Amino acid sequence: MSIFGFFTRTRSAPVARDRLQILLAHERRLAGQSDLVAILREEILAVIAKHMSIDKEKVNVKLDCGDNVSTLEVNVELQDIPKAVASQA
Amino acid sequence: MMPKVMVVTSGKGGVGKTTSSASLGAALAQRGQNVVLIDFDVGLRNLDLVMGAERRVVYDLVNVVQGDAKLAQALIRDKRIETLSLLPASQTRDKDALTEDGVQAVIEELKEKFDWIICDSPAGIEKGAQLAMRFADMAVVVTNPEVSSVRDSDRIIGLLDSITLRAENGDNFEKHLLLTRYNAGRAARGEMLNVKDVLDILAIPLLGIVPESPDVLNASNLGCPVTLHMPESTAARAYAEAARRLCGEKLEVVEPVERKAGLMSRLFGRKAAVA
Ligand SMILES: Nc1ncnc2c1ncn2[C@@H]1O[C@H](COP(=O)(O)OP(=O)(O)OP(=O)(O)O)[C@@H](O)[C@H]1O
Ligand SMILES: [Mg+2]
């Protein structure tokens, strides 16, 4: 604990308030589609599956809601890359 | 007066819905209003216990909805306040025991006899909580000054605005915030969200602030709403004032202050927003 720890220790409410304000701003925007990540995951997978075979277990979708920037990260482990795609790469 | 159907809800469990349903219901009945409390917590009924009626339950809401008992057989009249009745929840584990049509029929029938129909919602946002709010005209959102409770209240407010019959029909749906288990000292020291923080975030009118108080626990130990058991306690006064606001009185909400505060601030408190 820092030497200031003793003095700053108890004022956690302002942090709570700020965290809530950021979180709820996002949650309200997503209202009614709380399973947005699941929907995105299924639809993105369907598009990829049209062109190559993928293992549904090896897909990772992450959503990170930041203050200014939010990111959606989709990681798909490809099994057998079609030749055409591989040679372009 | 047009009968009012009021759901007491929160999302998060254990924040004080049942305590508040009992206390607001008793306070309204003490003012001469005809009040019925419905316990929607199917499988986990508790309102009977808080009201001290647990040994008088014969039939319950599920029996009435399924047509196995008449409403008049299931209603339990309070022994202390004659204008207060209870419709207990059932202990069944069957999640589908209640149907939407059945609940609507019961509420319509209750509207013929009562001024206030208070629905004590179960925690969560699933079917039970949705049925409890579905036919309501207005809601009391019970919130503790704590992050997870505030977040869940925000979810519930969203749900109230989307799945209640009134909202669906485009009618106005009143929502009131009841801040409970409030610890003025901890809020003043910045250890706990304060009234302004919660009001800023949830942005619905404030119905009242009920302080954290051992009197509430005592009252439920005895099976007697705090407004009856200890009418002079701070918690009982907060509920009684909230009931007056529900009846349309314009009463300022006074923010509780820490016990050891100076005499002047103890006498006058600090003004918070009005409901
Ligand atoms: N103002 C208060 N001061 C102290 N204790 C309180 C206060 N309000 C409620 N409690 C206590 O908190 C506990 C939970 O209250 P209650 O059962 O009313 O919550 P609930 O929201 O109905 O819970 P559930 O979600 O399980 O239905 C009880 O032990 C009750 O006595
Ligand atoms: Mg309860």
Side-chain angles (χ1 to χ4, degrees):
Chain A
M1 191 171 36
S2 82
I3 54 164
F4 300 108
F6 177 77
F7 301 101
T8 54
R9 172 178 54 115
T10 56
R11 292 195 49 82
S12 57
V15 181
R17 184 193 55 220
D18 294 347
R19 286 176 57 218
L20 271 170
Q21 267 161 347
I22 292 167
L23 172 70
L24 294 182
H26 283 282
E27 287 189 345
R28 284 169 190 160
R29 232 177 297 151
L30 299 180
Q33 38 175 329
S34 53
D35 42 5
L36 178 66
V37 174
I39 295 169
L40 281 174
R41 183 192 135 120
E42 290 314 308
E43 292 189 359
I44 290 168
L45 279 185
V47 169
I48 299 172
K50 260 197 239 169
H51 305 285
M52 54 187 77
S53 68
I54 44 178
D55 181 349
K56 287 205 165 203
E57 301 302 309
K58 291 181 178 156
V59 177
N60 202 343
V61 180
K62 275 191 214 161
L63 184 63
D64 189 357
C65 296
D67 212 342
N68 301 312
V69 190
S70 300
T71 60
L72 175 72
E73 191 184 315
V74 183
N75 276 301
V76 185
E77 191 179 314
L78 301 176
Q79 286 174 327
D80 37 24
I81 302 174
K83 279 195 187 106
V85 179
S87 62
Q88 280 165 21
Chain B
M1 162 187 163
M2 279 276 286
K4 283 245 172 185
V5 182
M6 178 169 90
V7 61
V8 178
T9 186
S10 69
K12 188 171 160 68
V15 296
K17 293 178 291 298
T18 299
T19 305
S20 299
S21 300
S23 309
L24 288 175
L28 285 166
Q30 283 169 289
R31 300 176 57 76
Q33 306 270 305
N34 273 312
V35 180
V36 61
L37 302 168
I38 313 181
D39 189 347
F40 270 87
D41 209 340
V42 173
L44 288 172
R45 77 163 170 239
N46 273 323
L47 191 53
D48 55 336
L49 206 54
V50 173
M51 294 294 297
E54 71 279 8
R55 292 164 63 171
R56 300 169 62 206
V57 176
V58 183
Y59 295 110
D60 56 53
L61 176 62
V62 170
N63 296 138
V64 178
V65 164
Q66 296 185 342
D68 298 328
K70 291 258 175 291
L71 191 52
Q73 293 175 293
L75 284 175
I76 302 174
R77 170 86 66 88
D78 190 88
K79 287 191 166 160
R80 300 149 299 205
I81 317 172
E82 63 172 325
T83 54
L84 181 61
S85 296
L86 167 70
L87 183 55
S90 120
Q91 293 283 49
T92 177
R93 281 173 24 197
D94 176 10
K95 286 257 174 272
D96 298 316
L98 292 181
T99 60
E100 189 170 317
D101 292 345
V103 169
Q104 185 168 30
V106 170
I107 289 181
E108 285 307 319
E109 200 178 336
L110 288 169
K111 278 186 184 173
E112 292 166 16
K113 287 202 222 142
F114 294 96
D115 304 317
W116 291 91
I117 295 146
I118 300 180
C119 307
D120 178 17
S121 174
I125 53 170
E126 302 301 318
K127 189 180 167 199
Q130 297 193 10
L131 272 179
M133 68 172 66
R134 176 73 179 155
F135 303 104
D137 300 311
M138 58 184 293
V140 170
V141 178
V142 180
T143 307
N144 294 163
E146 175 262 323
V147 282
S148 52
S149 174
V150 174
R151 179 201 209 172
D152 290 0
S153 292
D154 195 74
R155 282 293 292 284
I156 278 291
I157 291 169
L159 212 57
L160 289 166
D161 285 333
S162 60
I163 68 140
T164 54
L165 195 57
R166 280 187 79 91
E168 236 174 62
N169 293 339
D171 292 334
N172 169 44
F173 190 91
E174 269 176 57
K175 300 168 293 273
H176 299 274
L177 178 70
L178 187 64
L179 200 54
T180 58
R181 312 200 67 161
Y182 192 73
N183 183 320
R186 299 189 67 187
R189 289 192 295 277
E191 297 169 19
M192 211 178 223
L193 291 169
N194 61 33
V195 178
K196 185 176 178 300
D197 291 340
V198 181
L199 280 176
D200 282 352
I201 292 169
L202 293 179
I204 58 173
L206 182 62
L207 180 66
I209 307 167
V210 182
E212 169 85 22
S213 153
D215 302 328
V216 171
L217 198 62
N218 254 319
S220 59
N221 283 341
L222 300 171
C224 186
V226 71
T227 53
L228 263 180
H229 173 58
M230 288 193 73
E232 289 312 312
S233 64
T234 51
R237 291 220 304 265
Y239 279 121
E241 285 177 11
R244 287 169 63 187
R245 289 183 196 106
L246 287 174
C247 292
E249 275 185 52
K250 295 264 171 290
L251 272 180
E252 210 149 21
V253 181
V254 176
E255 198 175 316
V257 288
E258 207 177 353
R259 281 273 163 79
K260 65 171 193 258
L263 180 65
M264 292 309 273
S265 60
R266 209 186 319 160
L267 282 177
F268 298 111
R270 199 151 73 73
K271 285 173 190 165
V274 190

